[in-house]
C-alpha cells in the first residue's frame, strides 16, 4: 500500500520510485511505457573491471563512486539506471528526461558528465571514460511481472556505450546531438574522426571542456496582449475590410490560413470582438479532420445557434435547445414542415424520421437550394451577421455547395453577412463552389520573424520604455525555441518567469538572463529545447491515473463527446478524470457534453508519448467497452456512433469490425440522403473488407452496390457504372456464389439498370431488369415485399420510358398491389402508395386513359397533401399531374387553378 511504501521511497532510485507510485495509484499497466527524448550517460569505471571481492579498498572505492555518481545524477535532474558488471567491465548508467518533462536532457547530461569526470579524478581513479548521447528511447517496464525491470532502450543507448568505449582515458565524448543542443552553454572541442559499431562511416564526436560564463535579470507576469505585428497588420486590415463590406450590404467570405498555433483564432476573435460591438451577431463552429466525411458538419453549430437566437427574439421564455427552437419556429409560422426537414439534414436532432423520406430522389442542387431557402428565413433576422468556421479538417463538399448558394442568394435576401473560414492550408473547394475562391478575401499568416519575436517579447514583459532593450541572448533563447509561433513564445516566457529567470539589468538597461553562482545549473539550459517538454511541464505533478486519462484522450482525438465515451467509466472512471483535468488543470474546454483539448500542441505532445502497440491496445479497449455497453445508438446526437466505433476498430487493426461499423455508418447516412457522406463510408468499408482475413461474396458485393447507388444519386454516372460493372464481373466469375445469394445478384443487376435508366439508356436497362425481375419473383416468397415491388416498379418505369405502355401498366398495377398489401400489414408508411399512384397515372396518361389517370394522380395528391406542406415539391407535382389530366378530359376550368 502507499502508506507502507512511503518510508522506503527515499531509499529507492528515481525510476523505481516512479514505477511504485504508478502501481500504488493502480495506473494502467499498458500505459506505463513511453517514447521520450532522453539523454544517456555511460561511465566506464575501468579501475573496477577486475575487482576482487576480498579487496576491501576497491570495494570501498566502488561504493564511494556509486554514491558520488548517484548524487551528481540526481542533482542534474537525472535518474540512475544501472551499475553493471559485465563484459564491458564496471559501468554506471544514468538517464535524463525519463521521468519529467521540464528539463533539458542534453544540457543536464553534459553537465552531469563533466561533474562525474571531475568527481572520479577527485576519487583518484586512474582509468575511466564517459559517453553521452541523446534521442528518442523506449522508457518502461520489461520482463515477467514477478521479475520485471524498468529500462531505457534504443539506438542512442547503444551510441552512448560506443562513445564511452572510444573516449580517451579520463575523458568524455558526446554525440553531435548533445553538442548541438548544448553548445550555447558549454565549450567543446571536436574529436578526431572515429568509427563505432552500428554506424556507417567515420564521424566527429565532441569533448566538453567547461561551462560558458553568462551574464544576467526580473519582471512581472506577461499580460499576453493582442499585438499587431508588421506581418499581421495586412491580415488584420483585410479582415476588417471584409467586415466593412458586409456592413455595407455586400456579402463577403474570407479564408484565413496558416500553420498550427500561428494566431489565426486570435486574429479572427479580435475582429469578431470589434464586430460584436458594432452590432454583429457572431455564430461560430469548430471542426476536426474526423468531420470531413460528415455532410454539413461545419454548419451544425451555426444552424443550431441561429435557430435558438431567432426563436429567442420573440419567445417570452428563454430557449436554449435546438429541438425546442425548431418547434417554436414552426408554431410561429417562421418555418413550415419542409423547413424543419431541411434543417434536420444539417442538425439531425431536429429531424423527423418519417419526414426525412421526403428528401428521397431530390437532385443535390435542388436540395441545396431548398436548404438555403429555409436557412435565409432565420438568418435575415440576425443581420448583421458574422459566421466563423474554424478547425483543422477539410470541409465536406455539401457544405461548400451550401456556402456558395448562400453567398449567391445573400445579396438579395440577407446582404449583411460575413463568412470567415480558417484552416491550416488554403481550403480545398469543390468545383461546384469554385466561385467562392474567386470572390474570397485570401489571408495567409506566417511565423513571426526574429524582429517580431522581439516586439512580442517586449509586450509580454511589459517593456514600454524605448531606452530599455532585450538582451540578444534572451532573444536567441526564445526565438530558437518558439520558431516564430506566438503560442510558444508565450509558453517560453511564462515558464521562464515562473522560474524567476528574467530580470532587468539596470547598468545595461536590458532585459536579460539572470547570472547564478558557479555551483548552480545554468538557467538558460533549464528552458527545454523540446517544445513538447515545455507544454507538458505543467503536468509533471499529475497523478498516474490522470496521465492515463490524458493518454487515452489523445487516442480518442482532439474533441470527443462525454456521453458517448462514458462507456469507459466502468473500470477506468474515465470521464470523471477528464472533468478533473478540465476544471483543475485546464487541459480541456467543455461545451455542453463536448470536450476539446485547450491547446492542440498539448494534445500532440501527449500523443507522441505513446507507442504504436499501446495505441492499438487502447483502441481495442475502447471497442470492447462500447461492445459491452448497452448504449442507445439512436439517441446519440449526430448519429456518428458507428463512424467513431469504426475508426477505433480500424486503429485497433480489427478490420472485420471496422468494415461492419463503416457499413452501418454508410447505411445510416444513405437513409438520411447524405450521399456524399455515405459514399465515403462505403469506400472505407470496401478498403477494410479487403484487409480482413475472411471475405465472403456478400461482404464484397454489398458495399460496392451501395456505393454505386450513392454515386448515381450524386450524378457521378461514370464512376457508378465502373463500380457496378466490376462488381457484376466478379460475381459472374464465381457462379457458385451467385446461386447461394441470388438476392444480392438481383440487387447488382437492378442497381445497374437504374443507372442506365437515369442516363436514358432504356434498352440496356430493360435487358438488365428482364434478368433481375424473374429471379426476384422466384426467391421472394412474401407478396408484400417492398424490395420486390421496387424491382417491378423500376422495370415498369423502364418499359414506360421506352414506349411499351401496356406492359408498363401491367407491372405498375402489380407493384401497387404489393405496396397496398404492405400498408395493410403495416410494414410501410401509407405515403409509399403515392409513388405507385403517380407512376401508374403517368403510364395511363400515355395510353390516353385520362379519366383513370386523373383518379390515380388524385389519390396521390390526397395522400401527399395529408402528410406534407402545401408548398412541398411532391404536392406541387401531384397538382400539376391532376391539372394535366383534367385538361386532357376537357375540364380545363378545373385544371388551371390546380396548375396555378
Amino acid at each position: 500500500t502507499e502508506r507502507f511504501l512511503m518510508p522506503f521511497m527515499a531509499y529507492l532510485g528515481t525510476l523505481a520510485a516512479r514505477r511504485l507510485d504508478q502501481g500504488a495509484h493502480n495506473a494502467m499497466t499498458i500505459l506505463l511505457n513511453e517514447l521520450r527524448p532522453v539523454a544517456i550517460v555511460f561511465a566506464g569505471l575501468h579501475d573496477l573491471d577486475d575487482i576482487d571481492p576480498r579487496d576491501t579498498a576497491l570495494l570501498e572505492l566502488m561504493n564511494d563512486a556509486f554514491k558520488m555518481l548517484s548524487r551528481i545524477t540526481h542533482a542534474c535532474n537525472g535518474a540512475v539506471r544501472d551499475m553493471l558488471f559485465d563484459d564491458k567491465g564496471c559501468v554506471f548508467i544514468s538517464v535524463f528526461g525519463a521521468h519529467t518533462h521540464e528539463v533539458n536532457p542534453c544540457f543536464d547530461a553534459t553537465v552531469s558528465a563533466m561533474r562525474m569526470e571531475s568527481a572520479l579524478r577527485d576519487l583518484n581513479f586512474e582509468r575511466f571514460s564517459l559517453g553521452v548521447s541523446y534521442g528518442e528511447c523506449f522508457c518502461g517496464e520489461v520482463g515477467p511481472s514477478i521479475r520485471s525491470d524498468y529500462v531505457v532502450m534504443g539506438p542512442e543507448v547503444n551510441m552512448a556505450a560506443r562513445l564511452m568505449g572510444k573516449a580517451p582515458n579520463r575523458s568524455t565524448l558526446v554525440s553531435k546531438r548533445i553538442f548541438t543542443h548544448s553548445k550555447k552553454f558549454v565549450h567543446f572541442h571536436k574529436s578526431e574522426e572515429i568509427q563505432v559499431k552500428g554506424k556507417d562511416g567515420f564521424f566527429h564526436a565532441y569533448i566538453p571542456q567547461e561551462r560558458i560564463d553568462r551574464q544576467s535579470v526580473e519582471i512581472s507576469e506577461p499580460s499576453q496582449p493582442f499585438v499587431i505585428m508588421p506581418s499581421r497588420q495586412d491580415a488584420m486590415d483585410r479582415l476588417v475590410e471584409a467586415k466593412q463590406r458586409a456592413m455595407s450590404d455586400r456579402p463577403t467570405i474570407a479564408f484565413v490560413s496558416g500553420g498550427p498555433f500561428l494566431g489565426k483564432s486570435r486574429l479572427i476573435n479580435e475582429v469578431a470582438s470589434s464586430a460584436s460591438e458594432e452590432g454583429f451577431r457572431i455564430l461560430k463552429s469548430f471542426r476536426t479532420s474526423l468531420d470531413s466525411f460528415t455532410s454539413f458538419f461545419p454548419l451544425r453549430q451555426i444552424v443550431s445557434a441561429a435557430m435558438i437566437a431567432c426563436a429567442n427574439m420573440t419567445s417570452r421564455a428563454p430557449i436554449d435547445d435546438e429541438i425546442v427552437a425548431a418547434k417554436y419556429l414552426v408554431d410561429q409560422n417562421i418555418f413550415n414542415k419542409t423547413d424543419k426537414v431541411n434543417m434536420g439534414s444539417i442538425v439531425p436532432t431536429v429531424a423527423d424520421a418519417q419526414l426525412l423520406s421526403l428528401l428521397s430522389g431530390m437532385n443535390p442542387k435542388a436540395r441545396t437550394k431548398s436548404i438555403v431557402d429555409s436557412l435565409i428565413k432565420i438568418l435575415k433576422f440576425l443581420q448583421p451577421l458574422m459566421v466563423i468556421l474554424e478547425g483543422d479538417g477539410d470541409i465536406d463538399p455539401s457544405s461548400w455547395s451550401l456556402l456558395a448558394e448562400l453567398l449567391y442568394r445573400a445579396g438579395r435576401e440577407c446582404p449583411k453577412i460575413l463568412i470567415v473560414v480558417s484552416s491550416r492550408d488554403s481550403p480545398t473547394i469543390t468545383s461546384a463552389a469554385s466561385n467562392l475562391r474567386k470572390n474570397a478575401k485570401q489571408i495567409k499568416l506566417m511565423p513571426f520573424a526574429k524582429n517580431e519575436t522581439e516586439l512580442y517579447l517586449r509586450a509580454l514583459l511589459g517593456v514600454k520604455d524605448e531606452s530599455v532593450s532585450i538582451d540578444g541572448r534572451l532573444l536567441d533563447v526564445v526565438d530558437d525555441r518558439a520558431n516564430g509561433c506566438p503560442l510558444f513564445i508565450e509558453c517560453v516566457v511564462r515558464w521562464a518567469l515562473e522560474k524567476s529567470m528574467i530580470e532587468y539589468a539596470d547598468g545595461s538597461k536590458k532585459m536579460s538572463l539572470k547570472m547564478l553562482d558557479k555551483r548552480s545549473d545554468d538557467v538558460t539550459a533549464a528552458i527545454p529545447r523540446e517544445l513538447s517538454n515545455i507544454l507538458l511541464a505543467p503536468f509533471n505533478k499529475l497523478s498516474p491515473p490522470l496521465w492515463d486519462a490524458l493518454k487515452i484522450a489523445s487516442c480518442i482525438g482532439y474533441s470527443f463527446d462525454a456521453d458517448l465515451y462514458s462507456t469507459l467509466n466502468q473500470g477506468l472512471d474515465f470521464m470523471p478524470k477528464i472533468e478533473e483535468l478540465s476544471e483543475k488543470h485546464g487541459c480541456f474546454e467543455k461545451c455542453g457534453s463536448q470536450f476539446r483539448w485547450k491547446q492542440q500542441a498539448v494534445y500532440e505532445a501527449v500523443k507522441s508519448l505513446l507507442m504504436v502497440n499501446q495505441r492499438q491496445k487502447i483502441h481495442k479497449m475502447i471497442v470492447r467497452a462500447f461492445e459491452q455497453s448497452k448504449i442507445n445508438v439512436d439517441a446519440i446526437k449526430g448519429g456518428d456512433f458507428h463512424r467513431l466505433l469504426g475508426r477505433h476498430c480500424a486503429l485497433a487493426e480489427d478490420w472485420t469490425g471496422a468494415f461492419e461499423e463503416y457499413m452501418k455508418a454508410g447505411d445510416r447516412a444513405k437513409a438520411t440522403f447524405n450521399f456524399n457522406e455515405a459514399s465515403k463510408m462505403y469506400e472505407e468499408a470496401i478498403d477494410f473488407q479487403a484487409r480482413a482475413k475472411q471475405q465472403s461474396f456478400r461482404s464484397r458485393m454489398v458495399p460496392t452496390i451501395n456505393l454505386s447507388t450513392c454515386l448515381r444519386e450524386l450524378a457521378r454516372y461514370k464512376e457508378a457504372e465502373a463500380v457496378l460493372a466490376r462488381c457484376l464481373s466478379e460475381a459472374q466469375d464465381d457462379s457458385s456464389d451467385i446461386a447461394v445469394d441470388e438476392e444480392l445478384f438481383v440487387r447488382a443487376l437492378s442497381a445497374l439498370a437504374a443507372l442506365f435508366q437515369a442516363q436514358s439508356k432504356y434498352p440496356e436497362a430493360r435487358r438488365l431488369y428482364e434478368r433481375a425481375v424473374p429471379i426476384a419473383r422466384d426467391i421472394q416468397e412474401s407478396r408484400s415485399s417492398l424490395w420486390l415491388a421496387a424491382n417491378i416498379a423500376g422495370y415498369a418505369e423502364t418499359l414506360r420510358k421506352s414506349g411499351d405502355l401496356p406492359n408498363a401498366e401491367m407491372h405498375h398495377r402489380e407493384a401497387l398491389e404489393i405496396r397496398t398489401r404492405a400498408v395493410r400489414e403495416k410494414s410501410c408508411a401509407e405515403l409509399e402508395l403515392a409513388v405507385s399512384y403517380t407512376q401508374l397515372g403517368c403510364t395511363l396518361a400515355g395510353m390516353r386513359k385520362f379519366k383513370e389517370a386523373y383518379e390515380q394522380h388524385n389519390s396521390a395528391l390526397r395522400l401527399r397533401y395529408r402528410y406534407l406542406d402545401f408548398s412541398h415539391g411532391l404536392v406541387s407535382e401531384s397538382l400539376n399531374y391532376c391539372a394535366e389530366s383534367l385538361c386532357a378530359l376537357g375540364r380545363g376550368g378545373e385544371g388551371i387553378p390546380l396548375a396555378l
Side-chain angles (χ1 to χ4, degrees):
T1 66
E2 188 173 357
R3 188 176 67 177
F4 175 78
L5 290 172
M6 281 301 292
F8 300 97
M9 297 289 269
Y11 300 95
L12 295 173
T14 309
L15 297 176
R18 178 171 180 254
R19 172 64 185 89
L20 279 175
D21 184 44
Q22 290 170 318
H25 283 89
N26 295 317
M28 293 178 64
T29 307
I30 64 169
L31 297 182
L32 294 179
N33 304 335
E34 297 174 335
L35 287 176
R36 287 175 175 249
V38 175
I40 308 98
V41 176
F42 269 66
L45 310 179
H46 307 309
D47 283 354
L48 306 176
D49 286 353
D50 301 313
I51 192 169
D52 184 342
R54 293 168 294 183
D55 189 336
T56 57
L58 276 180
L59 287 174
E60 187 175 344
L61 179 62
M62 179 184 69
N63 193 44
D64 289 343
F66 178 78
K67 289 192 294 183
M68 181 61 70
L69 298 182
S70 297
R71 192 176 299 125
I72 292 171
T73 298
H74 294 144
C76 293
N77 300 312
V80 176
R81 170 64 192 90
D82 268 318
M83 189 165 183
L84 303 174
F85 292 86
D86 56 18
D87 58 324
K88 300 180 183 64
C90 179
V91 180
F92 178 90
I93 307 171
S94 57
V95 294
F96 301 81
H99 63 290
T100 63
H101 292 283
E102 66 176 325
V103 297
N104 178 347
C106 296
F107 174 75
D108 289 339
T110 305
V111 171
S112 176
M114 293 167 65
R115 292 181 180 177
M116 287 180 183
E117 184 179 320
S118 177
L120 291 172
R121 292 176 187 273
D122 292 343
L123 288 173
N124 296 318
F125 269 78
E126 294 297 329
R127 294 180 300 123
F128 67 86
S129 59
L130 296 98
V132 189
S133 190
Y134 170 73
E136 192 171 69
C137 295
F138 167 88
C139 303
E141 198 173 287
V142 296
S145 57
I146 58 172
R147 181 61 182 89
S148 59
D149 199 2
Y150 194 95
V151 301
V152 178
M153 298 190 301
E156 297 305 325
V157 177
N158 297 334
M159 175 58 72
R162 306 280 187 267
L163 290 171
M164 176 195 72
K166 290 290 184 177
N169 186 38
R170 307 186 89 191
S171 185
T172 303
L173 283 182
V174 307
S175 68
K176 186 173 182 178
R177 283 183 179 174
I178 294 285
F179 164 73
T180 301
H181 291 294
S182 304
K183 62 184 179 182
K184 290 186 178 180
F185 322 117
V186 177
H187 287 299
F188 290 92
H189 284 168
K190 187 183 288 188
S191 74
E192 295 180 357
E193 285 192 332
I194 60 173
Q195 186 176 29
V196 299
K197 181 181 176 182
K199 187 174 177 65
D200 295 334
F202 290 84
F203 64 95
H204 291 286
Y206 298 85
I207 304 169
Q209 299 296 304
E210 59 186 3
R211 298 278 294 280
I212 297 175
D213 290 333
R214 294 293 181 188
Q215 300 178 7
S216 84
V217 253
E218 196 169 351
I219 188 65
S220 60
E221 288 286 331
S223 56
Q224 299 180 16
F226 181 75
V227 182
I228 296 291
M229 296 297 158
S231 64
R232 297 290 191 271
Q233 187 63 58
D234 179 62
M236 173 63 82
D237 292 343
R238 291 170 69 83
L239 204 51
V240 168
E241 181 188 346
K243 179 192 68 175
Q244 291 168 344
R245 278 175 56 87
M247 199 61 174
S248 58
D249 291 350
R250 288 181 292 172
T252 306
I253 187 167
F255 297 146
V256 181
S257 60
F261 323 122
L262 290 183
K264 299 185 294 294
S265 297
R266 192 78 182 271
L267 179 73
I268 293 169
N269 289 341
E270 192 70 16
V271 175
S273 177
S274 66
S276 179
E277 293 174 0
E278 294 172 23
F280 274 78
R281 183 169 308 259
I282 312 298
L283 301 179
K284 295 178 69 173
S285 72
F286 187 88
R287 67 191 183 279
T288 70
S289 57
L290 292 178
D291 305 318
S292 57
F293 288 161
T294 305
S295 295
F296 303 119
F297 185 93
L299 298 165
R300 281 189 190 175
Q301 292 170 280
I302 302 293
V303 172
S304 293
M307 288 192 294
I308 292 170
C310 189
N312 279 317
M313 292 177 75
T314 56
S315 174
R316 293 182 180 179
I319 295 174
D320 59 2
D321 179 88
E322 70 269 17
I323 300 173
V324 177
K327 184 178 182 303
Y328 177 85
L329 293 172
V330 172
D331 293 341
Q332 297 296 310
N333 294 324
I334 296 172
F335 273 172
N336 57 37
K337 293 178 184 177
T338 303
D339 297 321
K340 187 177 177 183
V341 172
N342 285 333
M343 293 302 95
S345 63
I346 300 177
V347 186
T349 51
V350 307
D352 184 321
Q354 170 80 8
L355 295 179
L356 272 176
S357 63
L358 307 181
L359 298 174
S360 177
M362 282 189 72
N363 178 283
K365 289 185 179 179
R367 182 185 175 204
T368 299
K369 289 181 179 180
S370 180
I371 293 173
V372 172
D373 285 339
S374 303
L375 197 52
I376 283 179
K377 288 182 180 181
I378 54 175
L379 294 185
K380 65 184 180 181
F381 293 115
L382 305 178
Q383 299 180 86
L385 182 63
M386 183 174 181
V387 176
I388 302 171
L389 307 173
E390 286 188 282
D392 57 356
D394 291 334
I395 291 180
D396 63 281
S398 299
S399 294
W400 279 127
S401 297
L402 192 147
L403 290 173
E405 179 67 18
L406 175 61
L407 215 63
Y408 171 74
R409 296 270 299 280
R412 299 189 303 272
E413 301 168 69
C414 184
K416 294 184 189 304
I417 184 170
L418 168 62
I419 301 173
V420 180
V421 180
S422 76
S423 57
R424 291 190 176 180
D425 301 309
S426 183
T428 305
I429 302 175
T430 58
S431 57
S434 58
N435 63 307
L436 286 179
R437 187 178 296 282
K438 296 176 185 175
N439 302 320
K441 292 280 185 182
Q442 300 281 354
I443 300 167
K444 177 81 173 177
L445 298 190
M446 302 298 291
F448 282 176
K450 192 170 184 177
N451 66 309
E452 293 182 318
T453 298
E454 181 177 3
L455 290 174
Y456 199 44
L457 257 177
R458 294 178 67 88
L460 292 174
L461 297 174
V463 179
K464 298 180 180 179
D465 188 344
E466 291 296 327
S467 65
V468 177
S469 61
I470 302 294
D471 181 68
R473 188 163 43 86
L474 172 59
L475 177 59
D476 289 342
V477 166
V478 176
D479 187 62
D480 183 51
R481 286 153 181 76
N483 294 321
C485 172
L487 175 64
F488 288 159
I489 294 172
E490 292 173 13
C491 287
V492 172
V493 172
R494 187 187 309 115
W495 193 91
L497 291 175
E498 288 173 357
K499 301 291 183 181
S500 301
M501 292 166 54
I502 301 176
E503 69 179 8
Y504 172 64
D506 195 39
S508 60
K509 300 195 76 172
K510 289 182 178 180
M511 305 303 301
S512 54
L513 292 175
K514 189 179 295 182
M515 181 185 294
L516 302 182
D517 61 80
K518 293 184 178 180
R519 296 171 58 188
S520 302
D521 291 341
D522 190 330
V523 290
T524 58
I527 298 178
R529 295 188 60 82
E530 296 297 322
L531 293 177
S532 62
N533 284 344
I534 292 179
L535 295 161
L536 296 180
F539 311 122
N540 271 330
K541 294 183 180 179
L542 287 184
S543 66
L546 290 180
W547 266 111
D548 288 352
L550 270 184
K551 291 174 183 177
I552 293 171
S554 76
C555 279
I556 291 173
Y558 184 59
S559 63
F560 50 91
D561 190 287
D563 295 338
L564 187 57
Y565 287 96
S566 61
T567 53
L568 298 177
N569 289 349
Q570 188 175 359
L572 294 178
D573 202 28
F574 179 65
M575 288 314 305
K577 291 173 185 171
I578 294 297
E579 293 273 5
E580 183 179 346
L581 287 165
S582 176
E583 294 171 5
K584 296 183 179 180
H585 304 284
C587 298
F588 302 97
E589 293 176 337
K590 184 179 181 183
C591 180
S593 64
Q594 284 286 328
F595 282 87
R596 188 177 85 184
W597 289 78
K598 190 165 276 187
Q599 293 182 0
Q600 184 159 349
V602 174
Y603 160 62
E604 298 286 355
V606 173
K607 194 164 66 170
S608 71
L609 297 173
L610 295 172
M611 290 166 285
V612 173
N613 67 325
Q614 287 176 306
R615 293 194 191 105
Q616 191 174 326
K617 288 178 180 177
I618 289 173
H619 288 294
K620 284 181 179 177
M621 177 189 69
I622 293 171
V623 171
R624 194 161 52 248
F626 277 133
E627 290 173 345
Q628 292 172 354
S629 70
K630 296 181 179 179
I631 191 166
N632 181 4
V633 175
D634 295 324
I636 297 171
K637 285 190 175 183
D640 295 332
F641 173 83
H642 293 299
R643 179 171 60 84
L644 288 172
L645 186 52
R647 171 179 170 269
H648 288 303
C649 287
L651 292 171
E653 296 191 5
D654 175 6
W655 309 124
T656 301
F659 164 74
E660 292 172 354
E661 295 303 327
Y662 274 105
M663 281 298 296
K664 292 175 184 175
D667 293 344
R668 187 182 182 102
K670 186 157 78 79
T672 55
F673 309 101
N674 282 340
F675 296 111
N676 268 314
E677 181 180 348
S679 63
K680 292 286 187 182
M681 296 298 101
Y682 291 132
E683 286 170 355
E684 293 287 335
I686 291 168
D687 180 44
F688 294 128
Q689 189 270 343
R691 303 188 200 185
K693 292 181 180 178
Q694 295 181 341
Q695 300 180 16
S696 67
F697 176 71
R698 173 168 282 271
S699 67
R700 295 196 306 272
M701 292 283 284
V702 172
T704 307
I705 294 170
N706 290 352
L707 173 61
S708 71
T709 301
C710 295
L711 294 174
R712 186 192 75 220
E713 292 288 347
L714 294 168
R716 292 159 62 181
Y717 298 132
K718 289 185 179 179
E719 295 172 67
E721 187 172 344
V723 166
L724 276 173
R726 188 169 62 249
C727 173
L728 281 169
S729 174
E730 182 182 341
Q732 290 166 338
D733 288 343
D734 198 342
S735 57
S736 61
D737 280 333
I738 294 176
V740 173
D741 206 333
E742 289 182 317
E743 179 185 348
L744 203 57
F745 185 56
V746 170
R747 283 182 60 187
L749 288 172
S750 59
L752 187 55
L755 176 62
F756 284 145
Q757 183 181 304
Q759 300 176 79
S760 302
K761 298 178 180 179
Y762 301 122
E764 294 92 334
R766 183 169 181 168
R767 283 195 293 271
L768 288 168
Y769 272 126
E770 286 171 351
R771 292 175 63 191
V773 172
I775 302 173
R777 293 186 195 278
D778 290 342
I779 63 176
Q780 185 53 253
E781 296 179 359
S782 171
R783 296 306 298 166
S784 61
S785 166
L786 291 178
W787 174 75
L788 178 59
N791 278 287
I792 293 171
Y795 179 39
E797 279 296 281
T798 300
L799 291 171
R800 179 176 72 85
K801 292 177 180 179
S802 60
D804 190 351
L805 297 178
N807 265 328
E809 179 190 2
M810 179 180 68
H811 285 88
H812 271 313
R813 289 189 186 280
E814 183 182 359
L816 175 58
E817 182 183 342
I818 294 172
R819 283 173 170 149
T820 303
R821 194 177 294 116
V823 170
R824 284 200 298 267
E825 294 176 3
K826 297 184 178 179
S827 60
C828 75
E830 190 179 15
L831 200 57
E832 187 81 27
L833 294 176
V835 177
S836 275
Y837 288 143
T838 301
Q839 291 173 338
L840 180 56
C842 291
T843 305
L844 291 168
M847 299 172 71
R848 306 188 66 78
K849 298 179 180 180
F850 299 117
K851 183 177 181 181
E852 191 177 356
Y854 170 69
E855 291 171 356
Q856 297 296 331
H857 287 310
N858 191 35
S859 297
L861 175 60
R862 290 176 184 277
L863 275 177
R864 288 172 171 174
Y865 186 69
R866 187 185 310 164
Y867 290 102
L868 310 178
D869 288 316
F870 179 75
S871 60
H872 194 278
L874 292 177
V875 176
S876 299
E877 178 186 76
S878 291
L879 286 167
N880 275 323
Y881 280 136
C882 285
E884 186 179 38
S885 298
L886 287 168
C887 289
L889 290 169
R891 296 162 60 184
E894 299 171 61
I896 290 173
L898 297 183
L900 291 174

